[in-house]
Amino acid sequence: MSIRENLARVREHIAKACESCGRDPREIRLVAVTKTVDIARIREAYDCGLRLFGESRLQEALPKLEALPSDVEWHFIGKLQSNKARKAAELFDAIHTLESASQIVELDKAQRDAPLDALIEVNIAGEPQKSGVWEGGLDSLVQLVLRSNQVRLRGLMTVGPLCDEPEAMRPFFRRLRELNGRVPNADWLSMGMSGDYEVAIQEGATHIRVGTALFGERT
Ligand SMILES: *Cc1c(COP(=O)(O)O)cnc(C)c1O
């Protein structure tokens, strides 16, 4: 399947999911996840009309950011080491993976013209090996981010546990949406990937992060 065909199918599924819950598809932003995808194929995706890409590693992203036209919006969705946070803040338009006080300290040193849109990543199932702040630590991190002079907190993000079927993700997505209600002025909610973005949309996602369904299996 070509990227164009994949994109058409994803858009169709987005439309169906929206219809099933009375949402407007224009409320949903598709973050095309381009980790491991080479520049030629990202260009192909660009030519299909995609303008929002997600990368999870700074080093891998650098040449891609340089190669693609400047009307592309880049979101950082990977684990963000504090020592790379400043650079990430200077290169990316948004960061989905805030999780620690030390990141915020570094982000605040970045040189930017405009505030950096960011989301706090929540470890929604409390999985020890996963990144993200646990529910119990969320409120204090929110307060910290709100005091940042650089970061504009837009809401929450989660990856969620591996589930056999998308329906099993629903309670986690629902919980993240509830938690998002505790973030002052939250207007973004980043959840849902190739396997479960329809359920995420039904539960209120504004940003879905889709890689495999657009670009095929990663090798
Ligand atoms: C890789 C990745 C995705 C995309 O996953 P797919 O299952 O390929 O759609 C989404 N979010 C994050 C944080 C990722 O690392």
Side-chain angles (χ1 to χ4, degrees):
M1 284 285 234
S2 67
I3 294 172
R4 191 172 294 278
E5 288 169 306
N6 288 341
L7 176 59
R9 205 169 21 161
V10 167
R11 288 208 168 120
E12 203 175 294
H13 290 169
I14 292 172
K16 276 213 186 93
C18 283
E19 200 183 298
S20 74
C21 60
R23 294 186 68 188
D24 181 340
R26 286 172 300 191
E27 293 171 21
I28 316 296
R29 298 206 65 202
L30 174 60
V31 183
V33 176
T34 48
K35 64 183 180 207
T36 78
V37 177
D38 64 31
I39 289 170
R41 303 191 69 230
I42 301 176
R43 281 223 180 84
E44 205 180 318
Y46 180 91
D47 291 337
C48 295
L50 287 169
R51 293 293 182 273
L52 172 53
F53 297 115
E55 279 284 335
S56 47
R57 295 175 66 188
L58 196 58
Q59 286 309 316
E60 183 189 336
L62 290 176
K64 300 177 179 180
L65 270 64
E66 281 204 350
L68 272 286
S70 60
D71 64 340
V72 167
E73 201 180 316
W74 292 95
H75 287 194
F76 189 85
I77 62 166
K79 178 124 188 124
L80 184 61
Q81 311 292 345
S82 296
N83 60 1
K84 297 190 176 151
R86 175 181 179 168
K87 182 134 201 227
E90 289 171 355
L91 293 169
F92 283 82
D93 300 291
I95 291 186
H96 287 223
T97 48
L98 297 186
E99 59 173 348
S100 72
S102 57
Q103 285 174 332
I104 315 302
V105 170
E106 293 305 312
L107 288 172
D108 274 340
K109 297 177 185 166
Q111 304 282 325
R112 287 182 56 92
D113 299 333
L116 174 70
D117 288 321
L119 297 148
I120 291 175
E121 179 176 1
V122 179
N123 183 343
I124 197 71
E127 297 170 282
Q129 74 284 9
K130 278 259 179 77
S131 354
V133 62
W134 291 41
E135 267 193 46
L138 179 60
D139 289 340
S140 60
L141 189 61
V142 166
Q143 289 313 311
L144 197 77
V145 180
L146 290 176
R147 286 199 297 272
S148 159
N149 51 36
Q150 195 76 262
V151 178
R152 177 177 177 203
L153 183 59
R154 305 299 297 255
L156 303 179
M157 173 272 204
T158 199
V159 172
L162 262 185
C163 291
D164 290 338
E165 48 148 338
E167 201 53 43
M169 289 300 292
R170 193 179 296 280
F172 298 109
F173 290 154
R174 191 164 288 177
R175 182 67 186 146
L176 191 73
R177 184 189 188 165
E178 274 171 26
L179 294 173
N180 215 37
R182 304 212 308 233
V183 178
N185 306 313
D187 57 350
W188 292 12
L189 183 57
S190 171
M191 58 188 192
M193 318 199 322
S194 290
D196 51 28
Y197 64 87
E198 288 120 312
V199 175
I201 288 170
Q202 290 172 338
E203 295 301 328
T206 63
H207 291 62
I208 56 172
R209 308 176 312 268
V210 178
T212 310
L214 291 171
F215 299 105
E217 291 291 336
R218 285 180 292 276
T219 43

